[in-house]
Amino acid sequence: TQLLEQSPQFLSIQEGENLTVYCNSSSVFSSLQWYRQEPGEGPVLLVTVVTGGEVKKLKRLTFQFGDARKDSSLHITAAQPGDTGLYLCAGVIWGGTSYGKLTFGQGTILTVHP
Amino acid sequence: EAQVTQNPRYLITVTGKKLTVTCSQNMNHEYMSWYRQDPGLGLRQIYYSMNVEVTDKGDVPEGYKVSRKEKRNFPLILESPSPNQTSLYFCASSFLNEQYFGPGTRLTVT
């Protein structure tokens, strides 16, 4: 059973379009992270959101954490071919240790055509 | 440069032939982990280590072993690889749950 459902799995758009990727769960997370992965490389952390309702912006990327801390979204404005890649969300649930358990969604493969 | 390194990057082997994938980090992180990435399944944690000599199972530990004798190194051992272990493997070290991933090892078991 996938704890984090990411949608859509595939997204193919033209340069200049806007898009949103969703990450949903029935579980409450302590924090949620978004990573971007390019072919032949490991995922790279883009952002961590911690507070319910939090919104963070990274240039043309806007990340939002749901009020109940069960879901998150990534919105890209005016997508560019350089945005092409695999986007992964990952939720953290704090346990009894100083490190929480990290669970990844299935990922969204984004292709931006020139 | 802060980084996580893995070797080898590509490996083709046969069923049952023991192999080790090495992982090393230079960020002095206490927490390290191994993931496998399969299409449609995302990243799944195999094993993790919270410090030297402290390791524990992740979500898919069957068929794998790890050791953590030094803080910087966290090798992944497949004692008897099987074709269902064909996958893309990532090592990661963490600070406050933010993962820093290695470049990946693509393993094919025939």
Side-chain angles (χ1 to χ4, degrees):
Chain A
T1 303
Q2 192 72 28
L3 193 58
L4 264 177
E5 294 291 338
Q6 213 175 314
S7 62
Q9 275 195 276
F10 302 94
L11 199 50
S12 180
I13 62 172
Q14 294 297 127
E15 182 176 1
E17 293 183 9
N18 301 331
L19 66 108
T20 303
V21 177
Y22 299 94
C23 186
N24 295 297
S25 175
S26 57
S27 300
V28 176
F29 292 104
S30 308
S31 64
L32 200 134
Q33 302 168 355
W34 285 92
Y35 292 80
R36 178 165 171 257
Q37 183 179 6
E38 297 192 44
E41 299 180 10
V44 175
L45 180 67
L46 295 174
V47 77
T48 300
V49 285
V50 179
T51 307
E54 182 176 3
V55 177
K56 280 192 174 179
K57 292 194 174 185
L58 190 64
K59 296 183 180 178
R60 294 176 293 99
L61 278 60
T62 302
F63 305 86
Q64 186 162 6
F65 201 13
D67 291 340
R69 305 207 317 275
K70 294 182 178 181
D71 56 89
S72 181
S73 63
L74 157 61
H75 182 79
I76 301 180
T77 304
Q80 300 177 359
D83 295 326
T84 293
L86 172 66
Y87 290 82
L88 295 156
C89 64
V92 180
I93 298 177
W94 289 103
T97 66
S98 59
Y99 288 95
K101 177 172 171 57
L102 193 69
T103 301
F104 282 85
Q106 310 100 309
T108 296
I109 298 175
L110 170 65
T111 305
V112 182
H113 302 280
Chain B
E1 179 191 355
Q3 61 182 352
V4 178
T5 56
Q6 293 178 232
N7 283 292
R9 293 290 312 277
Y10 302 90
L11 181 59
I12 300 174
T13 190
V14 296
T15 299
K17 186 177 181 181
K18 181 180 178 179
L19 67 93
T20 299
V21 183
T22 64
C23 173
S24 183
Q25 53 99 359
N26 62 2
M27 293 170 279
N28 202 37
H29 289 164
E30 292 180 346
Y31 190 97
M32 297 184 73
S33 51
W34 275 101
Y35 294 87
R36 60 178 290 173
Q37 186 174 37
D38 302 288
L41 296 176
L43 282 155
R44 294 178 294 167
Q45 191 180 56
I46 302 170
Y47 266 95
Y48 66 93
S49 170
M50 297 184 67
N51 213 327
V52 175
E53 302 292 2
V54 181
T55 64
D56 207 348
K57 297 177 181 178
D59 296 319
V60 288
E62 293 77 23
Y64 305 95
K65 285 176 56 178
V66 293
S67 69
R68 187 90 180 274
K69 298 190 187 311
E70 306 166 278
K71 198 172 190 179
R72 64 183 293 125
N73 297 322
F74 190 42
L76 178 69
I77 303 156
L78 283 72
E79 294 272 2
S80 183
S82 62
N84 65 12
Q85 292 178 298
T86 292
S87 187
L88 180 58
Y89 291 87
F90 288 100
C91 178
S93 70
S94 306
F95 179 69
L96 297 179
N97 286 113
E98 298 186 348
Q99 310 273 321
Y100 297 84
F101 286 89
T105 295
R106 185 165 292 282
L107 172 65
T108 302
V109 183
T110 62

